[in-house]
């Protein structure tokens, strides 16, 4: 039980009245006030019924609505507060009679949302009682699922294109005719079915069947280099966003997708299978970089056998020395598979090149040159290299995947 501000104000008024009224009257007033406070607090002792509503699936950096509704049993006002852990953020944490706010996860993984804290006051507003309700709730935060789903939907609808680049045919995904559909703004002019257009009185396009049951393997480096920050995220976050997009697009195209995560040992593994995008996401969403160096040869030998596939290695190309182990291990894969090494660039370093500080500009130039030499060494070992800015690596990897299918490299 706790006192309210109203009770304190009344006590101050009684104390001031003691200067002009007899002490007996003041004593009676204090006793009456004490009785009212206890009775009021007892009416607020019963915990209100609380319902907390939150979506089951959350994505890092994407706000979702959180609603807390309260049905008070004591007849008084209820103050609601939602405690948080550092990996979750709320735009409003307290409210009277309930709470409606936006919850934004800052980090992937599993987090515990603490129980709701309540301060229920009695009808007179003199006594209050503290309660905890709704209990702890585990929330699961995935990588950027909305962006990955938008990419998969764009691929399915034939709307995924390189800006400013004309394509030859329907995204290059197969040549076997499937059906005639309405023309889309991004369709190549050679897709237009002129006879169907004349009959229907509106533009119609040919859609070709996608080549299915090909294989893509996503290899995730979760060694110490992947802990490097990129703005408000890490290289590991960028890699997992790309892996999520690739897995969902593979499902849309009917391909077999698998994943392997490693540092100096194999951390997670999902064998390639049809419609395995959800399995890949659930197996990798909570991965965090370790403090260990990555053993590329171990990972590549684990992947090496089996059906020819596109192997997308999501890692960091820091410099020649750091990439030496990667370069030495790439031939293990290139003998059988098409290999793409994908990495996120650091715009903060690139911005220093044209900065006013000459020393920082020189250091940044040297670092970027070392990164370019590392990429050249990887290409020399037989792999393709893809670098993209943060936030675009997922789309760039999907684009490379579609290009590999169009050239029948899988």
């Amino acid at each position: 039980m706790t006192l309210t501000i109203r009770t304190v104000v009344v006590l101050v008024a009684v104390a001031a009245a003691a200067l002009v009224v007899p002490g007996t009257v003041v004593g009676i007033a204090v006793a009456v006030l004490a009785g009212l406070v206890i009775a009021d607090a007892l009416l607020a002792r019963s915990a209100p019924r609380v319902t907390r509503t939150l979506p089951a699936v959350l994505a890092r950096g994407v706000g979702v609505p959180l609603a807390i509704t309260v049905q008070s049993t004591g007849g008084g006002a209820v103050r609601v507060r939602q405690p948080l852990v550092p990996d979750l953020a709320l735009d409003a944490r307290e409210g009277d009679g309930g709470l409606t706010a936006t919850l934004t996860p800052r980090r992937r993984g599993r987090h515990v949302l603490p129980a709701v804290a309540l301060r229920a006051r009695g009808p007179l507003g003199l006594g209050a009682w503290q309660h905890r309700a709704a209990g702890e709730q585990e929330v699961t935060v995935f990588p950027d699922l909305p962006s990955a789903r938008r990419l998969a939907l764009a691929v399915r609808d034939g709307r995924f294109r390189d800006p400013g680049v004309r394509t030859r045919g329907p995204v290059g995904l197969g040549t076997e005719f499937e059906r005639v559909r309405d023309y889309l703004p991004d369709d190549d002019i050679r897709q237009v079915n002129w006879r169907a257009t004349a009959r229907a009185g509106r533009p119609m396009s040919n859609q070709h069947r996608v080549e299915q049951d090909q294989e893509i393997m996503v290899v995730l480096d979760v060694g110490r280099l992947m802990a490097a920050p990129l703005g408000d995220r890490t290289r590991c976050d960028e890699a997992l966003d790309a892996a999520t997009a690739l897995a969902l697009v593979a499902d849309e195209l009917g391909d077999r997708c698998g994943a392997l995560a490693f540092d100096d040992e194999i951390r997670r593994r999902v064998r390639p299978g049809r419609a395995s995008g959800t399995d890949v996401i659930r197996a990798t969403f909570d991965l965090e970089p370790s403090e260990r160096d990555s053993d590329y040869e171990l990972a590549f030998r684990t992947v090496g056998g089996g059906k020819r596939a596109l192997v997308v290695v999501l890692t960091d190309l820091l410099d020649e020395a750091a990439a030496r182990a990667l370069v030495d291990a790439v031939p293990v894969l290139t003998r059988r598979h098409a290999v793409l090494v994908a990495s996120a660039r650091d715009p903060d370093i690139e911005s220093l090149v044209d900065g006013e500080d000459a020393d920082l500009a020189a250091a940044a130039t040297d670092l970027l040159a070392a990164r370019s030499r590392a990429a050249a060494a990887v290409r020399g070992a037989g792999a393709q290299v893809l670098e993209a800015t943060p936030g675009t690596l997922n789309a760039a990897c999907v684009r490379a995947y579609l290009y590999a299918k169009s050239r029948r490299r899988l």
Side-chain angles (χ1 to χ4, degrees):
M1 185 184 77
T2 59
L3 301 180
T4 66
I5 295 178
R6 182 176 297 180
T7 304
V8 174
V9 171
V10 174
L11 281 174
V12 171
V14 170
L19 299 175
V20 296
V21 299
T24 305
V25 175
V26 173
I28 294 172
V30 170
V32 171
L33 178 61
L36 291 174
V37 169
I38 293 173
D40 203 39
L42 289 176
L43 290 174
R45 186 175 183 180
S46 298
R49 290 187 292 272
V50 176
T51 303
R52 180 170 55 195
T53 305
L54 184 67
V57 177
L58 284 70
R60 178 188 49 77
V62 180
V64 295
L66 179 144
I68 299 174
T69 57
V70 179
Q71 295 179 352
S72 177
T73 57
V78 178
R79 183 73 174 172
V80 177
R81 184 175 185 274
Q82 176 60 69
L84 288 177
V85 294
D87 295 325
L88 303 173
L90 268 179
D91 59 350
R93 298 182 61 173
E94 296 188 15
D96 290 321
L99 179 64
T100 301
T102 299
L103 177 70
T104 305
R106 294 172 173 168
R107 187 175 177 181
R108 295 170 291 98
R110 293 182 174 87
H111 310 290
V112 176
L113 191 64
V116 177
L118 305 173
R119 190 169 188 265
R121 291 186 294 176
L124 299 177
L126 297 174
W129 211 280
Q130 306 286 352
H131 299 283
R132 294 177 68 83
E136 294 182 343
Q137 179 179 350
E138 184 179 82
V139 294
T140 302
V141 181
F142 289 94
D144 192 355
L145 282 175
S147 293
R149 286 171 175 155
R150 284 194 295 269
L151 286 171
L153 183 62
V155 170
R156 184 184 67 187
D157 294 341
R159 294 182 288 104
F160 188 84
R161 294 288 190 276
D162 262 324
V165 178
R166 293 194 62 81
T167 58
R168 296 190 175 187
V171 204
L173 301 179
T175 57
E176 186 176 351
F177 176 78
E178 182 176 25
R179 66 186 177 97
V180 177
R181 58 166 171 79
D182 287 330
Y183 176 83
L184 296 174
D186 288 333
D187 285 347
D188 191 283
I189 191 67
R190 285 162 289 191
Q191 288 179 248
V192 176
N193 187 319
W194 297 107
R195 291 184 179 179
T197 296
R199 288 195 302 268
R202 64 182 188 277
M204 304 294 289
S205 291
N206 293 328
Q207 180 168 307
H208 295 75
R209 183 170 292 118
V210 175
E211 298 173 19
Q212 297 185 336
D213 206 31
Q214 295 177 316
E215 198 162 290
I216 177 172
M217 190 71 182
V218 181
V219 180
L220 286 158
D221 178 7
V222 290
R224 62 181 180 84
L225 294 181
M226 299 300 284
L230 290 172
D232 61 348
R233 62 187 74 182
T234 64
R235 292 190 178 275
C236 188
D237 289 325
E238 288 290 334
L240 282 167
D241 284 350
T244 300
L246 287 169
L248 293 184
V249 170
D251 281 359
E252 288 293 342
L253 299 180
D255 284 342
R256 297 160 52 86
C257 182
L260 182 141
F262 73 101
D263 43 27
D264 62 349
E265 61 184 22
I266 304 302
R267 296 269 300 273
R268 307 281 171 83
R269 187 180 185 185
V270 178
R271 297 185 183 277
R274 292 288 296 274
S276 61
T278 300
D279 295 336
V280 170
I281 294 170
R282 290 192 176 278
T284 59
F285 79 94
D286 59 347
L287 284 168
E288 293 293 344
S290 69
E291 298 178 355
R292 306 171 183 174
D293 289 322
S294 301
D295 188 340
Y296 293 99
E297 185 173 356
L298 170 65
F300 294 174
R301 289 194 182 281
T302 304
V303 173
K307 180 181 176 181
R308 177 175 174 81
L310 172 65
V311 179
V312 181
V313 182
L314 294 162
T315 185
D316 182 32
L317 297 173
L318 182 61
D319 55 32
E320 292 170 288
R324 195 180 314 280
L326 172 61
V327 172
D328 292 342
V330 161
V332 174
L333 290 176
T334 54
R335 287 192 290 266
R336 179 184 294 267
H337 306 289
V339 181
L340 172 69
V341 176
S343 177
R345 298 201 303 262
D346 192 338
D348 291 337
I349 294 178
E350 294 176 357
S351 66
L352 293 176
V353 174
D354 298 323
E356 298 180 356
D357 191 314
D359 292 336
L360 287 178
T365 301
D366 291 342
L367 187 58
L368 292 177
R371 188 177 179 89
S372 296
R373 291 193 295 270
V378 173
R379 291 189 185 97
Q384 288 189 314
V385 175
L386 169 65
E387 294 185 275
T389 55
T392 66
L393 183 63
N394 53 358
C397 286
V398 169
R399 191 173 297 115
Y401 170 34
L402 299 181
Y403 183 83
K405 283 179 71 69
S406 71
R407 295 299 183 267
R408 293 176 173 82
R409 298 186 62 225
L410 279 69

